[in-house]
Amino acid sequence: MSVPSKKIGVQSVSRSTLAKQVVDRIVQLLVSGQMKAGDKLPPETELMEELDVSRPVIREALSALETLGVITRKTREGTFFNNKIGSHPFSVMLALAVDNLPAIIEARMALELGLVTMAAEKITDEQLAALRETIDGIANSKDNNYGDYDKEFHRIIAVSANNPIVEGMIDSLLITHHKIDSLIETRERDLTVSHHEAIYSALEQRNPQEAFQHMYNHLNYVRQKVLKLSTGE
């Protein structure tokens, strides 16, 4: 049985930064309570008509929302707001800031710096062993293709903080990691290994201050690199 979609009833958007404005309008439906997690969005043709934009603009906006974990597109069923949004509001805030790269990087830093200090107190030997495997994976990677190992390194640290409240932010952390990682054109494997080794050593020693400092050094380096790329410097 098909699920009826809801009319969204928003004003048409201007021609500038159309996809971003469509993202904002759709997310505002959740923020305002006009729609809720699990609701089905109108089909593309209806969105095109209500928002007065082209199909490519709609698809670009929906793709961004899907990447951010706000919606799920199901074949032959339609597009739905994810049920997890209620417990993962950080994803919605990321959607609102989808084109604000400095804000996304700073959000990742704020979240991950807090997580690594807690991880230093709680990380298990098994999790340390898993971290070591990711570092080895990066060191032995070919053609600098180590994105998955890098992402897993940061995921393990986040999970090892072992806090049920912040666990809801881990998916969003990985979303920011993917967004930032996709902008990096040249990778420096040896430097990444060096940074990760320093973080690992601090965690192994159960030293929150050192863990914080080395994670800051790592993320700040990434921030400076990505911002230079984004501004074309």
Side-chain angles (χ1 to χ4, degrees), residues 26-27 30 64-72 80-85 91-95 175:
I26 291 175
V27 170
L30 289 171
L65 288 167
E66 188 172 33
T67 299
L68 290 164
V70 175
I71 64 169
T72 295
F80 298 81
F81 284 117
N82 285 334
N83 285 317
K84 68 179 182 180
I85 287 176
S91 292
V92 175
M93 297 311 297
L94 283 171
I175 289 167

Side-chain angles (χ1 to χ4, degrees), residues 154-199:
H154 292 275
R155 187 196 70 80
I156 292 168
I157 291 173
V159 171
S160 68
N162 193 27
N163 185 304
I165 296 176
V166 297
E167 277 180 10
M169 300 180 183
I170 292 175
D171 286 346
S172 299
L173 168 64
L174 298 180
I175 289 167
T176 65
H177 186 284
H178 174 78
K179 171 73 174 179
I180 295 166
D181 188 67
S182 68
L183 297 173
I184 298 176
E185 298 175 352
T186 59
R187 303 186 186 280
E188 297 167 277
R189 181 179 58 192
D190 293 344
L191 184 59
T192 299
V193 169
S194 176
H195 284 178
H196 284 204
E197 287 277 12
I199 296 167

Side-chain angles (χ1 to χ4, degrees), residues 6-231:
K6 291 188 177 182
K7 285 276 187 179
I8 64 174
V10 295
Q11 298 176 349
S12 61
V13 299
S14 66
R15 288 290 176 183
S16 62
T17 62
L18 289 175
K20 172 59 169 58
Q21 290 188 52
V22 170
V23 168
D24 288 348
R25 299 282 181 162
I26 291 175
V27 170
Q28 282 300 325
L29 298 174
L30 289 171
V31 175
S32 67
Q34 189 174 344
M35 296 183 76
K36 62 183 184 300
D39 280 350
K40 182 180 180 180
L41 274 71
E44 288 184 3
T45 52
E46 191 171 323
L47 288 172
M48 290 165 56
E49 181 179 347
E50 291 202 37
L51 298 173
D52 190 26
V53 294
S54 65
R55 189 179 299 273
V57 170
I58 291 295
R59 289 183 172 174
E60 181 180 345
L62 293 178
S63 178
L65 288 167
E66 188 172 33
T67 299
L68 290 164
V70 175
I71 64 169
T72 295
R73 289 185 276 190
K74 302 178 181 179
T75 305
R76 295 189 295 276
E77 293 185 45
T79 302
F80 298 81
F81 284 117
N82 285 334
N83 285 317
K84 68 179 182 180
I85 287 176
S87 59
H88 296 261
F90 197 38
S91 292
V92 175
M93 297 311 297
L94 283 171
L96 290 171
V98 67
D99 64 347
N100 188 342
L101 187 58
I104 289 176
I105 294 175
E106 289 171 2
R108 176 188 172 188
M109 291 182 72
L111 178 57
E112 204 159 357
L113 288 171
L115 287 168
V116 78
T117 58
M118 296 307 300
E121 298 179 359
K122 299 181 179 181
I123 195 165
T124 66
D125 290 341
E126 290 77 12
Q127 288 166 331
L128 281 169
L131 274 185
R132 167 52 58 193
E133 289 181 6
T134 68
I135 296 173
D136 292 342
I138 295 172
N140 297 323
S141 64
K142 297 180 179 179
D143 300 324
N144 280 339
N145 185 20
Y146 54 80
D148 288 344
Y149 288 117
D150 191 10
K151 185 175 180 179
E152 180 64 5
F153 177 87
H154 292 275
R155 187 196 70 80
I156 292 168
I157 291 173
V159 171
S160 68
N162 193 27
N163 185 304
I165 296 176
V166 297
E167 277 180 10
M169 300 180 183
I170 292 175
D171 286 346
S172 299
L173 168 64
L174 298 180
I175 289 167
T176 65
H177 186 284
H178 174 78
K179 171 73 174 179
I180 295 166
D181 188 67
S182 68
L183 297 173
I184 298 176
E185 298 175 352
T186 59
R187 303 186 186 280
E188 297 167 277
R189 181 179 58 192
D190 293 344
L191 184 59
T192 299
V193 169
S194 176
H195 284 178
H196 284 204
E197 287 277 12
I199 296 167
Y200 173 88
S201 178
L203 292 173
E204 186 180 37
Q205 295 170 33
R206 308 301 198 273
N207 189 323
Q209 291 82 9
E210 287 291 318
F212 180 98
Q213 185 60 59
H214 290 302
M215 182 65 80
Y216 177 83
N217 293 343
H218 176 51
L219 295 180
N220 187 52
Y221 174 79
V222 174
R223 173 173 60 172
Q224 299 303 325
K225 185 173 183 178
V226 171
L227 290 181
K228 285 181 179 179
L229 287 171
S230 66
T231 57

